[in-house]
Amino acid sequence: MLLIKNGRVMDPKSDLDQVCDVLVQDGKIIKIAPEIKEEGAEIIDATGLVVAPGLVDIHVHFREPGQTHKEDIHTGALAAAAGGFTTVVMMANTSPTISDVETLQEVLHSAAKEKINVKTVATITKNFNGQDLTDFKALLEAGAVGFSDDGIPLESSKVVKEAMEEAKKLNTFISLHEEDPGLNGILGFNENIAKEHFHICGATGVAEYAMMARDVMIAYATKAHVHIQHLSKEESVKVVEFAQRLGAQVTAEVAPQHFSKTEALLLTQGSNAKMNPPLRLESDRRAVIEGLKSGVITVIATDHAPHHADEKNVEDITKAPSGMTGLETSLSLGLTYLVEAGELSLMELLEKMTYNPAKLYNFEAGYLAENGPADITIFDAKVDRFVDSYFASKAANSPFIGETLKGQVKYTICKGQIVYQN
Ligand SMILES: [Zn+2]
């Protein structure tokens, strides 16, 4: 038995926000009350700390199979636990891609060994070919939780429509990375800084919001649910809002880097600040924050994208891969740039990192209640934390190294077990 004493227990589902004790047994929370006495229980003193549901991240790249020099499922799970996450959803752009039941089963076999809940989507099209749908039904039955070709946007509107219809039939949804290659330049650099500083044609806003506009309207017409991944432009927030007002079933996520920083970060942090979609303008950063506040964007997801230092440290930055390691800084970025900045309450931040993402996938996660899962994150919301280059992830490609942020995870508990302690 595990007894968490005197923490500020915060549950976005029930709106509980009260100093009390939490008693855990056999992977479940068995009691939440102001004063619990239990002989022989292991005690965690959570005085001054927040006791929240285990964080849920629906967008991570763990690189297994095929690119395990960057990350593997084990180190990805350790990074998740260190960041306070107890449930993650992997993307399927592995090598090979997760497009068939055999590859899916291999991945899930590896994932099942981890102490946190590691789930995965499968691809929408076979081997990311953008043309032929995978066998959604077979993949769902084999344990995939959803579908995405994240990394390679779907160019064919016909395929998008077919995928939405198939997903709807099976009571699931597809998730889309929206950057139309036909409207884009070199990825990872926002068009403004690309032109002014790097003298290249960069990643345009229209590539994102035009493709998104197409897809939310296909969702409207098919009455299917579509989830928009990591939106980054002011216009994109407006597109999602417009579709939601029309009655389309559209949900959206934003990555912490997009509400924290702008394209200028490339000038100081180089390739570690290169990502798809890229860091944008201050007006875009403001707009995604407004989208979080208004509820147009309901989910914060990291897009945890580890890369090896040798791959990032190439002479020509345009050749460096896009993406940043994100699991271990996500909570601190939310605390710093949303809560401390006065944009969201702590409860609203937690809702977007726990209950909302769990609800999107119908996971038994993301809340604290008696008889509920003992997936719990205990953190100090106020302490200053200097981000150094040590990560539990295999990768250290974070543009936040050297910055002092708010908040520190103290304990991550999953299925009643302490899986991380600081
Ligand atoms: Zn993506």
Side-chain angles (χ1 to χ4, degrees):
M1 262 193 268
L2 188 61
L3 179 56
I4 303 161
K5 294 285 291 178
N6 286 320
R8 178 182 174 192
V9 179
M10 297 185 73
D11 174 49
K13 186 182 180 187
S14 63
D15 246 344
L16 174 72
D17 181 359
Q18 196 184 329
V19 173
C20 48
D21 299 348
V22 179
L23 185 63
V24 167
Q25 187 179 25
D26 298 332
K28 294 259 178 205
I29 292 172
I30 56 170
K31 196 171 178 188
I32 301 175
E35 175 89 57
I36 302 173
K37 288 208 168 68
E38 189 64 44
E39 294 271 319
E42 182 185 351
I43 306 264
I44 291 177
D45 179 8
T47 306
L49 303 177
V50 174
V51 178
L55 306 180
V56 178
D57 187 357
I58 61 167
H59 194 144
V60 303
H61 298 272
F62 282 177
R63 310 301 192 198
E64 181 182 336
Q67 295 186 302
T68 53
H69 63 289
K70 297 172 191 267
E71 190 83 290
D72 57 40
I73 290 172
H74 181 60
T75 56
L78 293 176
F85 292 89
T86 52
T87 299
V88 298
V89 177
M90 295 188 291
M91 292 297 115
N93 63 337
T94 48
S95 182
T97 59
I98 305 170
S99 299
D100 55 58
V101 168
E102 196 188 344
T103 310
L104 173 66
Q105 281 171 340
E106 264 172 50
V107 165
L108 290 178
H109 180 73
S110 196
K113 294 178 196 155
E114 298 308 321
K115 290 175 180 166
I116 66 154
N117 303 300
V118 179
K119 299 167 186 291
T120 189
V121 299
T123 64
I124 294 171
T125 64
K126 288 179 184 164
N127 306 314
F128 274 12
N129 74 8
Q131 296 299 325
D132 309 299
L133 294 191
T134 55
D135 188 342
F136 281 20
K137 188 162 181 284
L139 288 160
L140 284 174
E141 282 168 2
V145 298
F147 299 90
S148 177
D149 275 10
D150 180 53
I152 308 288
L154 286 169
E155 292 188 65
S156 164
S157 47
K158 176 172 174 277
V159 170
V160 169
K161 179 167 172 281
E162 286 170 358
M164 286 189 196
E165 283 169 344
E166 183 67 6
K168 183 177 180 331
K169 209 166 77 187
L170 296 165
N171 201 23
T172 183
F173 63 96
I174 61 170
S175 301
L176 297 174
H177 175 142
E178 303 286 34
E179 281 190 288
D180 186 341
L183 296 172
N184 235 345
I186 294 175
L187 299 179
F189 305 85
N190 186 45
E191 54 193 320
N192 301 63
I193 203 165
K195 189 163 163 233
E196 288 156 20
H197 183 84
F198 295 98
H199 312 295
I200 54 174
C201 285
T204 64
V206 67
E208 177 178 309
Y209 56 74
M211 190 177 237
M212 195 180 293
R214 178 196 71 174
D215 293 341
V216 298
M217 294 315 290
I218 300 173
Y220 170 70
T222 57
K223 298 190 167 62
H225 175 189
V226 64
H227 179 72
I228 303 294
Q229 299 179 289
H230 47 47
L231 56 68
S232 67
K233 284 296 294 174
E234 182 178 3
E235 292 86 347
S236 303
V237 181
K238 289 189 174 139
V239 165
V240 170
E241 185 177 16
F242 172 77
Q244 289 171 344
R245 285 220 182 124
L246 268 184
Q249 255 200 88
V250 176
T251 52
E253 72 188 32
V254 66
Q257 44 273 28
H258 289 118
F259 64 65
S260 301
K261 295 292 178 181
T262 68
E263 59 175 17
L265 199 64
L266 274 163
L267 300 179
T268 55
Q269 303 297 67
S271 60
N272 282 346
K274 183 187 176 194
M275 60 198 68
N276 304 340
L279 296 171
R280 303 285 194 182
L281 304 173
E282 177 61 12
S283 51
D284 297 312
R285 191 185 77 85
R286 288 293 331 157
V288 299
I289 291 173
E290 289 306 318
L292 283 165
K293 291 166 81 163
S294 68
V296 169
I297 303 167
T298 50
V299 172
I300 294 170
T302 64
D303 193 9
H304 176 80
H307 291 292
H308 195 276
D310 292 347
E311 298 166 315
K312 277 289 195 182
N313 295 336
V314 288
E315 205 164 309
D316 178 359
I317 189 175
T318 64
K319 301 278 192 298
S322 288
M324 54 163 276
T325 182
L327 282 163
E328 291 165 80
T329 49
S330 182
L331 177 61
S332 286
L333 290 172
L335 291 169
T336 307
Y337 290 99
L338 298 176
V339 179
E340 282 287 319
E343 306 290 358
L344 293 186
S345 69
L346 181 53
M347 189 69 96
E348 288 167 332
L349 174 69
L350 289 176
E351 185 180 33
K352 291 172 197 294
M353 296 185 76
T354 61
Y355 183 59
N356 287 353
K359 195 171 58 173
L360 186 68
Y361 276 103
N362 283 319
F363 293 155
E364 183 57 13
Y367 67 98
L368 296 177
E370 292 177 359
N371 293 317
D375 296 352
I376 303 166
T377 299
I378 303 174
F379 61 94
D380 185 330
K382 293 282 179 192
V383 72
D384 284 332
R385 165 198 175 197
F386 178 76
V387 182
D388 60 27
S389 56
Y390 175 78
F391 291 94
S393 166
K394 270 187 193 176
N397 55 317
S398 168
F400 296 100
I401 292 170
E403 193 172 333
T404 299
L405 302 173
K406 285 284 164 198
Q408 177 65 56
V409 176
K410 294 293 186 185
Y411 294 88
T412 307
I413 295 162
C414 189
K415 300 167 212 170
Q417 304 292 321
I418 297 171
V419 297
Y420 172 80
Q421 188 172 349
N422 179 301

